[in-house]
Amino acid sequence: MMSMPGTIAFDEYGRPFIILRDQEKQTRLTGNDAIKTHILAAKSISSTIKTSLGPKGLDKMMVSGDGEVTVTNDGATILKLMEVDHEIGKLMVQLSQSQDDEIGDGTTGVVVLAGALLEQAESLLDRGIHPIRIADGFELAAQCALKHLDSIAEDFPIDVNNKEPLIRVAMTTLGSKIINKCHRQMAEIAVDAVLAVADLEKKDVNFELIKTEGKVGGRMEDTCLVKGVVIDKTMSHWQMPKVLKDVKLAILTCAFEPPKPKTKHKLDVTSTEDYKELRQYEQDKFLEMVKQVKDAGATLAICQWGFDDEANHLLLQQNLPAVRWVGGPEIELIAIATGGRIVPRFEELSAEKLGTAGLVREISFGTTKDKMLVIEECHNSKAVTILIRGGNQMLIAEAKRSIHDALCVVRSLVRDSRIIYGGGASEISCSIAVAKEADQLSTLEQYAFRAFSVALESIPLALAENSGLLPIETLSELKSRHVAEKLPSLGVDCMLTGDSDMKNHHVIESLHSKKQQIILATQLVKMILKIDDVRTQHD
């Protein structure tokens, strides 16, 4: 037998055949064995994240390869930083990510629900039910749960003059976060930020207009909402004025420096006169640039690029305050807020391209040397900035994630203003409705319906467990009260107040968010149940 380089060989008759490398090192799983390995991987991820659920849930500390530490209980962030190797684990990461992208909240709950559904699917497989029948049954049960959610949802008033209901929803979201020591303040900031940029007629919120800036130092209570833009820069020269009123801004993406000779040839300066001439030319050119900016009527130049000390000194001499090295996204936000146009060349600068702002000021923080620039009272006041303060970078990063969740929930309510009650109340109510529907079915799908009903109970069970209550006892009591009192707002009393009615505690969730959780979890579980062939290679 003669062989050739690569994986093709020929037998003694010259017929080619393919040699599969490392065939003995490969294992192949098919059928229910494959599905069970998927379920095991998904369950392990779900059980890891389950302890983070609810107001008494625990945080996770993630350490990256280069030693950077993140402490969070945001489901999507935990999974993103976990560096999961297993393929099904990666699907779970994508599941929480899609919930984060679509809604922004409920990223832990969606993973817990998917893990519980797969756990139930495993026991159904052991009873000999085909995975396709399980998947189809779950799909029908999810539709039944969604229909029931519509029936228990309540309309929610969105009124700019009455923000209290919205603040309560935002507080529900922030209840499980590290920043709940200034619970109400953060909720108010999130609601004010969304309402400042929301278009209530079109039921839309442009998140591009809300910027979140973090600055180490101060207390978390010092966090504030600025009706304008905050940039982490200062005036380019320390002698420039720190407060400017009725400002006309020139927003430049061209550099404050003389044009470079566009030639590949070398320029030799052979005498002192030539050098002086060149220097004078540079200065004249620069003064011409400053004149163009001032002639347009600008009283402040915002520049994307830097300029040297000489240029800086000349700007001071010419009484033109300037800010240098302002990043691209900030430049865009300043342009939107002030109604100005971004100018790429000095020749194109004109009065109508300038932005307007009532006040531009430098703010300093306590005893630190840190300063930031605030552009307020803008022509288009829709752009807002949330300035977060905190003791260290880790706290600020977690506060940013928490406020993002609150912003997303308020946005969901602007889009669809119906709500349900939290604390596991909606899950228990749906679980009872799905179990009731199962009793009406005569087909094999009734087993999947009952399994779906049990899986929905995993969220209230986890909430009770994380709060230090007896999970089964708490759930049994709540279920019997749901049936007897017909109150869909009865949930787990996580704060141990003695009252299980979430309506009294104002624990409210967006209906859109809860529906999305059920839809995404069911879709992922269906996908996993339909993968029955896995080939893995061992090193």
Side-chain angles (χ1 to χ4, degrees), residues 29-38 125 131 529 531-534:
L29 286 170
T30 55
N32 283 0
D33 288 342
I35 293 173
K36 282 187 176 175
T37 59
H38 303 333
L125 285 171
L529 287 172
I531 305 170
D532 75 335
D533 193 344
V534 182

Side-chain angles (χ1 to χ4, degrees), residues 489-533:
S489 57
L490 291 172
V492 179
D493 177 21
C494 295
M495 307 313 281
L496 312 178
T497 56
D499 182 8
S500 297
D501 193 342
M502 295 296 128
K503 206 170 194 172
N504 300 337
H505 294 309
H506 308 298
V507 178
I508 310 164
E509 286 185 56
S510 152
L511 173 69
H512 185 41
S513 168
K514 188 58 69 187
K515 276 183 160 182
Q516 199 66 28
Q517 270 188 15
I518 292 173
I519 292 165
L520 288 173
T522 311
Q523 282 175 348
L524 181 81
V525 169
K526 269 186 74 176
M527 187 196 293
I528 291 172
L529 287 172
K530 289 183 176 182
I531 305 170
D532 75 335
D533 193 344

Side-chain angles (χ1 to χ4, degrees), residues 3 5 115 127 136 153 155 270 353 440:
S3 66
R127 293 168 80 170
D136 291 347
D155 275 328
T270 51
K353 289 186 180 177
Q440 312 299 317

Side-chain angles (χ1 to χ4, degrees), residues 100-101 103-104 190 193-194 197 204-212 333 384 403-412 415:
D100 201 31
D101 296 341
I103 305 293
V194 171
V197 304
D204 190 36
V205 178
N206 182 3
F207 261 17
E208 297 291 315
L209 296 174
I210 302 175
K211 188 162 172 278
T212 315
L333 208 57
V384 294
I403 280 188
H404 176 259
D405 282 7
L407 291 170
C408 288
V409 167
V410 180
R411 176 186 64 176
S412 291
R415 287 180 172 173

Side-chain angles (χ1 to χ4, degrees), residues 232-439:
D232 199 356
K233 296 279 176 274
T234 54
M235 295 293 184
S236 60
H237 197 288
W238 62 275
Q239 283 179 305
M240 285 176 183
K242 304 289 181 249
V243 179
L244 296 166
K245 289 185 178 172
D246 299 324
V247 188
K248 298 271 190 214
L249 291 94
I251 305 165
L252 307 167
T253 54
C254 42
F256 256 118
E257 54 185 36
K260 303 273 187 296
K262 300 282 187 291
T263 169
K264 289 181 182 175
H265 303 295
K266 197 167 69 174
L267 180 67
D268 285 329
V269 178
T270 51
S271 66
T272 325
E273 283 73 29
D274 285 354
Y275 179 74
K276 281 179 181 169
E277 210 174 298
L278 185 65
R279 192 171 175 284
Q280 190 57 45
Y281 165 78
E282 280 194 357
Q283 196 161 352
D284 292 348
K285 268 289 177 195
F286 185 77
L287 289 170
E288 191 185 317
M289 287 174 190
V290 176
K291 188 172 182 299
Q292 281 172 325
V293 175
K294 292 198 80 169
D295 286 351
T299 54
L300 173 66
I302 303 276
C303 192
Q304 189 172 7
W305 305 108
F307 35 83
D308 58 19
D309 289 344
E310 187 182 3
N312 202 7
H313 184 69
L314 283 166
L315 282 167
L316 179 70
Q317 271 186 341
Q318 300 296 315
N319 292 324
L320 180 63
V323 185
R324 54 184 165 185
W325 296 122
V326 180
E330 284 91 344
I331 284 265
E332 284 179 24
L333 208 57
I334 292 168
I336 293 169
T338 59
R341 297 278 296 278
I342 296 171
V343 180
R345 288 190 188 86
F346 286 100
E347 299 80 57
E348 292 177 20
L349 196 60
S350 59
E352 63 273 10
K353 289 186 180 177
L354 299 179
T356 54
L359 181 66
V360 176
R361 61 193 172 96
E362 255 184 33
I363 50 173
S364 56
F365 301 108
T367 54
T368 62
K369 287 184 291 194
D370 286 333
K371 288 184 173 63
M372 288 175 107
L373 207 63
V374 182
I375 301 169
E376 291 175 300
E377 299 169 23
C378 301
H379 161 80
N380 174 8
S381 62
K382 279 207 159 191
V384 294
T385 305
I386 299 171
L387 179 60
I388 299 170
R389 307 301 315 281
N392 59 23
Q393 199 57 54
M394 184 210 72
L395 264 175
I396 287 173
E398 178 64 353
K400 267 188 185 180
R401 285 189 285 270
S402 306
I403 280 188
H404 176 259
D405 282 7
L407 291 170
C408 288
V409 167
V410 180
R411 176 186 64 176
S412 291
L413 282 170
V414 170
R415 287 180 172 173
D416 181 352
S417 60
R418 289 174 298 166
I419 53 124
I420 48 172
Y421 291 97
S426 56
E427 281 89 353
I428 296 170
S429 189
C430 282
S431 168
I432 293 166
V434 172
K436 205 173 185 180
E437 186 71 24
D439 295 337

Side-chain angles (χ1 to χ4, degrees), residues 120 124 127 129 133-134 136-138 140-141 434-454:
Q120 293 303 314
L124 293 179
R127 293 168 80 170
I129 301 175
R133 297 298 292 270
I134 300 171
D136 291 347
F138 279 174
L140 291 168
V434 172
K436 205 173 185 180
E437 186 71 24
D439 295 337
Q440 312 299 317
L441 293 174
S442 56
T443 57
L444 199 61
E445 271 74 20
Q446 62 176 292
Y447 289 99
F449 263 69
R450 287 200 184 92
F452 196 93
S453 164
V454 175

Side-chain angles (χ1 to χ4, degrees), residues 161-180:
N161 302 319
N162 179 20
K163 298 175 188 170
E164 191 59 32
L166 283 170
I167 290 167
R168 284 173 176 167
V169 181
M171 283 172 75
T172 304
T173 311
L174 296 171
S176 60
K177 308 295 183 191
I178 234 169
I179 61 173
N180 64 4

